[in-house]
Amino acid sequence: MLDFSILTENLDMYLLGFKNTIMSSLIALVASLILGVLIAIMRIAPIKPLNWLGTAYVEFIRNIPLLIITFFFFLGLKLSGLYAGTLALTIYTSSFIAEAIRAGILSVPKGQMEAARSSGLTYGQAMRLVILPQAVKIVIPPLGNQFINLVKNSSILAVVAGLDLMYHGDLISSRTFVVFDVYIFVAAFYLILTIPLSFGVGYLEKRLAKSN
Amino acid sequence: MGGGLIMIVFDRVNKYYGDFHVLKDINLTIKKGEVVVVIGPSGSGKSTLLRCINRLETISEGSLSINGLNVADKKTDINKLRRNIGMVFQHFHLYPHKTVLENIMLAPKKVLGQSVEEAKKIALKYLDKVGIGDKANSFPSQLSGGQQQRVAIARGLAMGPEIMLFDEPTSALDPEMIGEVLDVMKALAHEGMTMVVVTHEMGFAREVADRIVFMDEGRVLEEASPAEFYANPREERARLFLSRILNH
Amino acid sequence: MLKKKKWLKLSLLSLLAVILLAGCGGGNDSDKAEEGGGKDKEKDVLAQVKEKDKIVFGVKNDTRLFGLKNPSTGDVEGFDIDIAKALAAEILGDENKVEFKEVTSKTRMALLNNGDIDAIVATMTITEDRKKEVDFTDVYFDAGQSLLVKKGSDIKGIDSLKGKKVLAVKGSTSSINIREKAPEAQVLEFENYSEAFAALKSGQGDALTTDDSILYGMADEDPSYELVGGTFTEEPYGIAVKKGNTDFVDELNKALKSLKDSGKYDEIHDKWIKH
């Protein structure tokens, strides 16, 4: 059976890590979404140099391990653990979000853009008023998945002393010489974040479907 | 029917998709108030011709001008040009996430800067005109094909264009709904709208067209009034086409 | 609001499920070794060692002077390695009857306890806490904790760490000691010495703390870093063996004594430790 004293005696460390993981994940979530939308639009806009830049970004970033990106910011740019990890998390996730959004936008029928442009709307207006709102519905499930991945990937902070949940788990484990129980509790804390996220995404999906 | 003002001019227009020569040496003039119906076998380039007018397709050679404005010129404000040209598509392309009323109001609000009240008034007017004033707050998915297409026409008219383009507007409709859409188009024609219509509906053409343009393999093979064209087509291929269409 | 209740219930249920499942799975690392000599299922380590005719040692691969992998040959080299080989020569008659597995301060206990390795020879300090988890041989090396700083740093020793960032390795006694002895310093812990040193070099900390023996290896590698303040703890290194295997510990102690008496120990010591 699980040794709950591990949890109770180290609760302050678990909670400190939990708090930092939440903060880091939240910041990265918002930032990667904004960045992802920008990159997606760059890839779709009818301006060749922007296309090229956006594609290069996505192909490069999503094919490198998150750990390496993190080390780049930590050792290369010498940002502190928490910042390096959160920034790396943002950049990494943004490439996947850009892809999900681009796929969503492309799956909106071509005729929608044609109808919008034919009435005199500019490309930007057509995107904003006609295409993107339709793309949003399609994009919510894959985006939700990316956010859940983001929360799990935030554990990368542990490797650069980012003071997150996993880092504190490591510390507790190395001090108590207990491995299994310590990390089960860590997992439980992650679940507290990821399970509501899943439900939230599901709820959002249903509500958007209703407006059809 | 057919005033003197020249609106659309195709002058030695050619278009290529890579090596494929899709529009060959098109010379065509359309005057204000004219109703021009373009017919021809599939692959003849008639839709392409139509879509060149509002630059959904670009031309490779020659010149295409609307009210004297060169459509292909990079300096031409294409968005401004398109305000004056309404387009109705074969598959309607209504915005599914907006109500019927919102569909019609969108461009007048965002492009012409109309206030919500103004736009709503005009939208309701055109909605009534096409015969479905009661569906203002429905969503496109709740309408039949014929109703959706009529909304699409209202959407095009709400911008107050001088030219209306129709790309096979009834080809995707069940037979019993074709009539209601054609009726709206006929009314428009009678009111003096300049219309370019790609269609297979011969009855419609015979009734309201000022001119039939027959295309085949990228060329304009024959132009004539409906009476002349249907009675006695000059071109061999036109005759062949007609016989096939009329003998269903 | 009904939906919210549903989520809450489901989340709590899943959480419960995970914890229950974990309970059934059962942790093994927190299990203390069996009472007395109840070795009915498992043969003790010494017997296994004799049977397979080799000793599997857990050693560091990232610690210059004690256990460092040579990139060109692929072999691990260092004081710990040579001691281990010499012990194998004493116990099994041939210094090649050894196998080396890489361990870190974080993983060495777990690997010892689940039988992946027979003994730990990896710069491991003997402490009272650790004696509760494993059995140690006699001391085979005397180290002491110290500080590594960039040459010219204003840190002179353990007393000048107020408001400074000190880097250490997760799971090391040094990380625990430094928090006790310099509570005003901020301590950040990393996976291994390589990463801790890289972090130090990239300015993520003002000092690195661990055994002076290990720090000498780092100063060896990058002479722009130096040790300051002498040692402020005593770190006696011992060889760790799975709890309860007193006969194996005795064998190792016998072998160690033999090495010291014969002068082989001094030979190995002088080869690696120049300070």
Side-chain angles (χ1 to χ4, degrees):
Chain A
M1 202 40 220
L2 276 184
D3 180 4
F4 278 87
S5 71
I6 300 279
L7 179 61
T8 51
E9 282 166 23
N10 296 290
L11 195 59
D12 57 336
M13 288 180 75
Y14 274 114
L15 287 179
L16 178 58
F18 187 52
K19 181 188 88 153
N20 284 332
T21 288
I22 292 181
M23 250 179 43
S24 177
S25 298
L26 247 134
I27 295 175
L29 205 143
V30 171
S32 64
L33 184 58
I34 296 174
L35 194 53
V37 169
L38 264 154
I39 304 283
I41 292 186
M42 273 172 65
R43 293 194 69 174
I44 298 206
I47 304 173
K48 283 251 159 59
L50 282 186
N51 292 157
W52 190 88
L53 252 153
T55 305
Y57 180 92
V58 169
E59 285 310 308
F60 185 62
I61 300 289
R62 71 175 175 162
N63 289 311
I64 302 182
L66 175 56
L67 186 57
I68 296 188
I69 301 180
T70 308
F71 275 138
F72 172 75
F73 287 118
F74 184 65
L75 298 175
L77 296 191
K78 312 201 177 183
L79 301 166
S80 84
L82 189 56
Y83 293 127
T86 304
L87 188 55
L89 198 57
T90 300
I91 302 268
Y92 182 73
T93 308
S94 72
S95 69
F96 293 94
I97 290 184
E99 266 314 271
I101 293 179
R102 186 179 77 106
I105 292 178
L106 288 180
S107 68
V108 175
K110 198 174 111 184
Q112 290 293 307
M113 179 58 91
E114 287 189 350
R117 294 304 308 276
S118 298
S119 59
L121 288 164
T122 63
Y123 180 79
Q125 287 174 319
M127 264 297 173
R128 200 173 30 100
L129 301 162
V130 174
I131 306 294
L132 287 179
Q134 294 184 58
V136 163
K137 291 181 197 175
I138 302 172
V139 148
I140 293 287
L143 270 194
N145 278 338
Q146 287 310 325
F147 290 148
I148 292 174
N149 285 342
L150 183 150
V151 171
K152 292 186 292 171
N153 285 338
S154 71
S155 57
I156 206 71
L157 259 63
V159 184
V160 290
L163 309 179
D164 72 317
L165 180 58
M166 188 62 84
Y167 175 78
H168 283 97
D170 288 346
L171 293 196
I172 297 171
S173 172
S174 54
R175 273 175 220 173
T176 60
F177 306 120
V178 172
V179 178
F180 188 77
D181 300 43
V182 169
Y183 288 108
I184 286 288
F185 294 126
V186 167
F189 275 103
Y190 276 113
L191 280 174
I192 293 179
L193 294 177
T194 55
I195 291 185
L197 248 173
S198 298
F199 280 124
V201 170
Y203 172 72
L204 213 68
E205 270 182 76
K206 281 205 204 100
R207 247 195 62 182
L208 285 172
K210 243 194 257 169
S211 75
N212 270 346
Chain B
M1 282 211 225
L5 207 64
I6 295 186
M7 292 221 84
I8 306 175
V9 181
F10 283 81
D11 182 20
R12 282 168 294 178
V13 168
N14 283 278
K15 180 177 170 62
Y16 297 88
Y17 276 135
D19 284 335
F20 180 49
H21 198 173
V22 60
L23 289 179
K24 298 173 186 155
D25 206 36
I26 306 286
N27 294 290
L28 189 62
T29 308
I30 300 174
K31 297 205 195 88
K32 186 172 169 63
E34 270 201 283
V35 174
V36 172
V37 171
V38 183
I39 63 170
S42 57
S44 56
K46 47 192 201 298
S47 273
T48 310
L49 180 91
L50 190 77
R51 289 159 62 90
C52 284
I53 297 177
N54 69 351
R55 216 167 84 180
L56 281 181
E57 305 281 354
T58 53
I59 62 175
S60 312
E61 288 167 17
S63 91
L64 169 56
S65 56
I66 313 243
N67 278 341
L69 271 167
N70 185 342
V71 172
D73 193 346
K74 294 229 181 344
K75 290 195 226 98
T76 307
D77 184 349
I78 192 63
N79 297 316
K80 194 153 172 231
L81 187 63
R82 285 170 174 165
R83 293 181 209 173
N84 200 23
I85 308 173
M87 182 144 184
V88 176
F89 299 87
Q90 179 176 352
H91 295 286
F92 337 134
H93 295 318
L94 292 180
Y95 312 133
H97 58 300
K98 294 189 178 298
T99 63
V100 162
L101 206 59
E102 286 164 354
N103 260 271
I104 302 174
M105 285 166 63
L106 183 65
K109 269 171 44 191
K110 300 291 176 178
V111 178
L112 301 178
Q114 287 177 8
S115 71
V116 176
E117 299 77 37
E118 269 184 275
K120 193 164 179 190
K121 219 168 70 180
I122 296 179
L124 282 169
K125 175 178 110 187
Y126 283 109
L127 211 49
D128 269 330
K129 187 185 165 83
V130 301
I132 32 178
D134 56 327
K135 297 284 184 193
N137 293 315
S138 306
F139 282 91
S141 57
Q142 298 167 301
L143 271 58
S144 71
Q147 292 170 322
Q148 288 187 58
Q149 194 61 299
R150 284 187 277 155
V151 172
I153 297 176
R155 181 174 66 173
L157 292 172
M159 290 289 284
E162 289 183 286
I163 302 170
M164 283 288 283
L165 305 177
F166 295 81
D167 191 354
E168 302 208 34
T170 57
S171 299
L173 294 176
D174 288 336
E176 65 267 19
M177 295 190 235
I178 296 181
E180 67 200 50
V181 173
L182 290 180
D183 285 341
V184 170
M185 291 167 67
K186 286 181 204 168
L188 261 182
H190 285 308
E191 286 163 19
M193 172 67 77
T194 312
M195 294 164 64
V196 185
V197 183
V198 172
T199 184
H200 298 298
E201 294 296 323
M202 295 300 135
F204 168 81
R206 228 196 293 249
E207 255 190 76
V208 288
D210 292 309
R211 201 178 357 143
I212 306 269
V213 170
F214 175 73
M215 283 184 72
D216 193 11
E217 290 185 358
R219 270 184 218 285
V220 171
L221 280 191
E222 191 168 339
E223 285 182 65
S225 74
E228 293 165 12
F229 186 76
Y230 287 117
N232 202 11
R234 267 175 282 130
E235 293 290 325
E236 175 63 44
R237 272 180 279 174
R239 251 176 286 164
L240 214 58
F241 177 72
L242 263 185
S243 67
R244 255 187 262 132
I245 277 224
L246 296 173
N247 290 341
H248 269 168
Chain C
M1 281 308 109
L2 213 67
K3 274 229 169 103
K4 245 194 196 162
K5 271 203 180 152
K6 225 185 182 177
W7 295 359
L8 215 60
K9 258 194 229 166
L10 268 155
S11 326
L12 285 174
L13 267 169
S14 330
L15 218 61
L16 213 59
V18 168
I19 296 184
L20 281 172
L21 268 167
C24 296
N28 32 32
D29 289 88
S30 51
D31 287 333
K32 308 295 183 200
E34 291 145 38
E35 252 66 60
K39 305 270 182 277
D40 33 38
K41 284 185 283 174
E42 249 175 58
K43 278 197 223 134
D44 66 8
V45 179
L46 182 56
Q48 287 179 53
V49 160
K50 294 237 160 100
E51 194 177 307
K52 55 187 180 179
D53 200 28
K54 78 169 173 198
I55 312 178
V56 181
F57 287 105
V59 295
K60 296 282 182 75
N61 277 30
D62 65 348
T63 307
R64 190 176 292 272
L65 304 181
F66 281 81
L68 184 66
K69 197 169 200 150
N70 184 328
S72 32
T73 66
D75 294 330
V76 199
E77 299 166 346
F79 179 78
D80 284 342
I81 275 64
D82 286 349
I83 291 285
K85 285 201 207 150
L87 289 171
E90 291 289 323
I91 298 178
L92 296 175
D94 183 352
E95 71 166 17
N96 292 311
K97 293 190 175 172
V98 289
E99 188 187 321
F100 292 115
K101 283 205 177 155
E102 179 180 0
V103 299
T104 64
S105 300
K106 200 167 145 193
T107 62
R108 57 192 173 191
M109 295 286 241
L111 288 171
L112 185 70
N113 283 330
N114 66 22
D116 281 353
I117 53 181
D118 300 319
I120 299 175
V121 190
T123 61
M124 191 169 178
T125 310
I126 302 172
T127 69
E128 287 310 310
D129 270 337
R130 285 179 179 170
K131 279 190 195 166
K132 297 186 199 151
E133 309 286 326
V134 295
D135 288 338
F136 281 106
T137 63
D138 299 330
V139 177
Y140 76 93
F141 187 83
D142 278 298
Q145 192 169 345
S146 185
L147 295 170
L148 184 76
V149 299
K150 191 146 181 81
K151 281 197 174 134
S153 158
D154 57 351
I155 295 178
K156 300 296 170 215
I158 189 81
D159 300 315
S160 38
L161 289 177
K162 188 176 166 121
K164 299 283 184 190
K165 271 195 215 160
V166 182
L167 310 181
V169 167
K170 291 176 185 171
S172 60
T173 43
S174 328
S175 61
I176 299 177
N177 289 342
I178 194 68
R179 285 177 203 263
E180 271 173 41
K181 300 215 185 271
E184 347 72 41
Q186 187 192 4
V187 181
L188 295 176
E189 298 180 38
F190 293 89
E191 300 294 314
N192 53 52
Y193 296 117
S194 199
E195 288 179 26
F197 195 26
L200 181 70
K201 285 194 263 195
S202 91
Q204 300 287 356
D206 305 302
L208 203 160
T209 187
T210 183
D211 305 341
D212 57 346
S213 46
I214 298 172
L215 293 178
Y216 281 126
M218 291 178 188
D220 223 33
E221 182 198 318
D222 187 341
S224 64
Y225 287 86
E226 62 179 2
L227 280 80
V228 293
T231 58
F232 51 87
T233 67
E234 272 171 16
E235 304 294 329
Y237 287 170
I239 299 173
V241 152
K242 189 166 178 184
K243 198 139 189 63
N245 288 281
T246 41
D247 47 355
F248 191 30
V249 172
D250 291 339
E251 277 293 308
L252 288 167
N253 280 335
K254 240 177 33 193
L256 257 175
K257 180 156 191 326
S258 173
L259 289 180
K260 288 190 177 155
D261 292 339
S262 69
K264 180 92 179 132
Y265 178 88
D266 289 330
E267 196 186 303
I268 298 175
H269 185 279
D270 294 339
K271 174 178 170 194
W272 293 101
I273 316 295
K274 319 269 195 247
H275 303 276

